[in-house]
Amino acid sequence: MGDLLSLDFMRQALIAAVLVGLAAPLVGAFLVQRRMSLIGDGIGHVALAGVAVGILTGSMPVLTALVAAVAAAVGVELIRAAGRTSGDIALAVMFYGGIALGVVLMSKSTASSGNLTGYLFGAILTTTSSDIVVFAGLAVVVVGVTWVLRHRFFAVANDEEYARAVGLPVMAYNIALSVLTAVTVVVSMRVVGLLLITALMIVPNATAQLVSRSFRSSLVWASLIGVLSAVGGVVGSFYAETPSGGTIVLLAIATFLVVSVVSGLVTRARRAAHERAERHDHEHGPQCGHQAIPHDGHIDYLHDGHRHAAHKDHYDEHDEHPHERPHDDHAQPEEVSR
Amino acid sequence: MTSTPLIELRSASFGYADRKVVDGVTLSQGPGEVIALLGPNGSGKSTLVKGLLGLSDHLGGDVKLFGTALAKFRDKPRIGYVPQRHSLSTSVRVTVREIVETGRLPLRPWWRPSGAADAAVVDKALDAVGLRDREREDVAALSGGQQRRVLIARALAAQPDVLVMDEPTAGVDVANQRILADVLARLAERGTSMLIVTHELAALSDVVTRIVCMNAGHVDFDGSPTAYAAGHRRHELGDGHHHSPSADEREPGLAAIVTDALPSREVRRG
């Protein structure tokens, strides 16, 4: 790792990886919450048209891509807000129009086809340092704004009708999130590429959902997994001589698969070890009259001499020292049958 | 009148685009009143409360909230909205507390993080609905009735002056309806004003201080629960009913009457 850091371009690439790995899952969390996981992909398509315009006119492709992506992002929200059934088709026209225009325009420029691949799938090691500075600045803004507004994005995504009823500017927050998505797509296009960036927005969140118990902790997990995948992918692609974007995404997906298998096993082990209390309509609570016993981060209620703890839609039996009990199916069968 | 009514409608109409769903309703709610807004499906109850919240269009007449005309009313968190929601299940993991905390957001500017005062109010709101001990659980794991209480707590977190609820007991089993009714009764004891859209008056009969009945966009009864019960007997004797006649309209009041005639609250805990 030491010799890697002595390489100038590698240092740049790693900084970019950390920032993208942080920003993409953070913004993506709210897209997952709004069930708009694939919107980043569409915006990426339109950004390609912007890149092509930039290359053709000799201006900075980053800036033209940014303009195109932000315009597409605002368009997405306006189409959604109109709430027409044809909105879906309007989005398709916009997204595929964007990528088709990009490919056609690119073919008219003198740039090689390798250039196109670089934007579509990421080519961090060939990115100029002036671009990296712009990307870094934008990424810091995305992370900062998303973090400050996270509760509001959460509230609007969680219940749009309620947010409107209490006077939150719902449309403004939706457009803000969409624009943040667009900026993230452009910032990430040299690291993971326009066609792969959505994976880095969504997959770490899917993994985080498996290990976290609250939205707050899932944000932290997703960012952590995103950063590790991005840095790991950049380092891996250097040694394996593979494209950075694909390597990062494969790493993120591998993490997801491993975590889902492990969490599946843990869930099964827990299910085998926990025992349900008898059914009762009565709900335990502060007013129920049963003695409340704080126990390991939750509250047990003393019910006819044994302890009930709320678990999903039923109650579990918790005895005096439940956590010392071996966690397998054959533990204390006489209690299970009770 | 010693105090300004919380909600005041004078021949008010609400609807969507140009279609009037609620037409010419006059109604006023004073502090401390708990009004049940009854009526068959499609009678305009939900449209009316959504109109107060700015979720349906105000198409005519006067509407005042806390003495301010609806168009100029900006202090929206003063109305605590509990939407009709059969399930809170979301695409992501969300704890009970995280949902309730969103109730505080409209009260502070976007750049200010939540403070100790916010946390204290959220604690109280969770206590009020009896879910403090489950605040760290995933809302998707709760029963329908418990999820409804989460939404009530979210509304309470904004410290509103009136709670507006859309079908709080719909789709909730009897045991959970009883808990919900107890929660509402405790709120009423503390002087919380409520406007409750409901089909199931029986579950809430101990809480309600006044009944407003809507039919086909109009109010056709407004009075005390006792008067309402008496009125029902007249209905059952076949006293002339009066809604706007229309060929395809079924006897809309019937379903509500049948439900409401059920004995209230068969079992009391004791």
Side-chain angles (χ1 to χ4, degrees):
Chain A
M1 197 75 189
D3 51 328
L4 264 190
L5 287 175
S6 67
L7 298 170
D8 234 10
F9 66 91
M10 212 49 210
R11 262 205 308 270
Q12 283 181 4
L14 287 172
I15 291 171
V18 168
L19 288 171
V20 167
L22 197 61
L26 207 53
V27 173
F30 302 101
L31 298 181
V32 172
Q33 199 192 358
R34 294 182 70 195
R35 300 177 205 270
M36 291 172 65
S37 294
L38 297 180
I39 215 73
D41 203 42
I43 291 176
H45 287 19
V46 178
L48 187 73
V51 169
V53 168
I55 291 176
L56 264 188
T57 58
S59 45
M60 260 179 106
V62 178
L63 291 183
T64 49
L66 199 58
V67 170
V70 168
V74 174
V76 167
E77 278 313 315
L78 294 180
I79 288 170
R80 262 176 50 90
R84 303 257 288 274
T85 44
S86 56
D88 212 24
I89 293 167
L91 292 183
V93 169
M94 184 163 84
F95 295 160
Y96 296 104
I99 199 162
L101 186 66
V103 171
V104 168
L105 289 180
M106 280 257 198
S107 73
K108 289 291 164 201
S109 83
T110 50
S112 66
S113 67
N115 211 331
L116 176 63
T117 323
Y119 284 104
L120 289 179
F121 301 107
I124 182 64
L125 301 181
T126 60
T127 308
T128 63
S129 49
S130 66
D131 275 359
I132 293 275
V133 171
V134 175
F135 288 151
L138 288 173
V140 169
V141 170
V142 168
V143 171
V145 171
T146 311
W147 190 252
V148 169
L149 292 180
R150 68 191 187 282
H151 294 301
R152 281 156 204 270
F153 286 151
F154 169 81
V156 169
N158 179 63
D159 191 342
E160 207 169 296
E161 187 196 38
Y162 172 78
R164 196 166 284 133
V166 294
L168 290 176
V170 169
M171 188 69 185
Y173 285 125
N174 282 343
I175 289 181
L177 181 64
S178 202
V179 168
L180 286 169
T181 309
V183 176
T184 309
V185 165
V186 171
V187 163
S188 316
M189 72 183 172
R190 297 300 294 188
V191 183
V192 264
L194 294 172
L195 288 189
L196 289 171
I197 174 57
T198 299
L200 193 57
M201 288 185 168
I202 306 308
V203 178
N205 280 296
T207 315
Q209 287 301 310
L210 298 170
V211 292
S212 43
R213 289 171 149 213
S214 65
F215 188 72
R216 190 167 320 174
S217 68
S218 75
L219 276 186
V220 174
W221 276 111
S223 309
L224 190 69
I225 294 164
V227 169
L228 291 179
S229 308
V231 170
V234 165
V235 173
S237 72
F238 176 76
Y239 286 117
E241 293 180 19
T242 50
S244 56
T247 317
I248 291 170
V249 170
L250 284 180
L251 209 54
I253 291 175
T255 312
F256 172 72
L257 292 177
V258 169
V259 171
S260 54
V261 168
V262 171
S263 79
L265 290 176
V266 169
T267 309
R268 271 183 57 180
R270 283 215 185 116
R271 191 173 301 145
H274 100 290
E275 39 182 313
R276 283 185 179 223
E278 75 279 10
R279 282 180 61 93
H280 51 78
D281 277 345
H282 162 85
E283 184 184 313
H284 290 304
Q287 274 91 17
C288 74
H290 292 105
Q291 188 192 343
I293 307 167
H295 174 220
D296 208 26
H298 61 268
I299 294 174
D300 287 347
Y301 292 93
L302 200 60
H303 186 121
D304 293 341
H306 47 124
R307 284 156 68 153
H308 285 183
H311 181 233
K312 302 211 164 156
D313 57 352
H314 58 268
Y315 289 93
D316 285 351
E317 290 288 358
H318 279 194
D319 55 20
E320 275 302 313
H321 305 287
H323 301 289
E324 290 168 14
R325 209 172 53 196
H327 278 218
D328 66 70
D329 308 33
H330 307 294
Q332 307 186 354
E334 71 281 359
E335 283 233 358
V336 176
S337 61
R338 186 160 69 193
Chain B
M1 268 281 164
T2 48
S3 53
T4 333
L6 309 174
I7 295 169
E8 200 176 9
L9 309 180
R10 206 164 297 146
S11 36
S13 306
F14 298 101
Y16 298 95
D18 288 330
R19 197 170 59 90
K20 278 186 188 175
V21 180
V22 174
D23 197 8
V25 167
T26 299
L27 179 69
S28 116
Q29 177 168 18
E33 276 192 299
V34 179
I35 299 182
L37 188 53
L38 303 177
N41 287 332
S43 59
K45 318 179 292 281
S46 289
T47 308
L48 191 151
V49 298
K50 285 188 174 162
L52 302 176
L53 297 156
L55 299 173
S56 71
D57 299 331
H58 177 202
L59 299 176
D62 282 338
V63 180
K64 281 186 179 172
L65 300 172
F66 310 101
T68 309
L70 180 63
K72 291 184 183 154
F73 182 72
R74 292 286 169 270
D75 211 358
K76 286 183 147 193
R78 288 185 75 179
I79 303 182
Y81 178 41
V82 181
Q84 177 178 16
R85 192 60 41 84
H86 291 294
S87 158
L88 257 181
S89 76
T90 51
S91 39
V92 291
R93 259 176 220 268
V94 180
T95 64
V96 169
R97 193 177 178 91
E98 283 175 325
I99 298 264
V100 177
E101 278 171 346
T102 63
R104 297 295 297 164
L105 289 177
L107 302 180
R108 58 176 197 259
W110 60 267
W111 42 266
R112 185 177 297 160
S114 68
D118 293 308
V121 176
V122 170
D123 285 348
K124 267 170 65 186
L126 284 164
D127 279 333
V129 300
L131 285 175
R132 177 87 175 274
D133 57 338
R134 305 191 70 172
E135 64 175 12
R136 284 192 287 175
E137 277 183 56
D138 188 350
V139 279
L142 301 183
S143 72
Q146 290 168 334
Q147 294 190 353
R148 225 56 70 87
R149 278 147 59 199
V150 173
L151 296 181
I152 293 173
R154 176 179 68 179
L156 290 173
Q159 298 170 298
D161 291 313
V162 57
L163 275 181
V164 172
M165 295 184 230
D166 200 352
E167 304 272 10
T169 54
V172 175
D173 61 56
V174 177
N176 269 298
Q177 277 193 10
R178 207 169 58 213
I179 299 169
L180 252 173
D182 287 344
V183 166
L184 297 185
R186 278 202 304 276
L187 291 174
E189 269 168 36
R190 287 199 254 148
T192 312
S193 312
M194 292 180 247
L195 178 59
I196 309 171
V197 171
T198 186
H199 271 335
E200 286 146 327
L201 184 59
L204 302 172
S205 56
D206 290 0
V207 185
V208 167
T209 62
R210 184 173 146 200
I211 287 169
V212 174
C213 232
M214 283 189 72
N215 206 335
H218 302 275
V219 168
D220 68 359
F221 177 87
D222 182 350
S224 68
T226 340
Y228 178 75
H232 262 182
R233 275 194 293 282
R234 273 211 315 280
H235 275 311
E236 280 158 19
L237 293 173
D239 193 6
H241 214 101
H242 40 267
H243 10 85
S244 43
S246 104
D248 60 346
E249 197 177 88
R250 301 185 191 178
E251 267 305 311
L254 206 58
I257 291 167
V258 170
T259 329
D260 298 339
L262 288 173
S264 67
R265 301 262 220 108
E266 60 278 47
V267 207
R268 266 313 241 151
R269 270 191 293 126

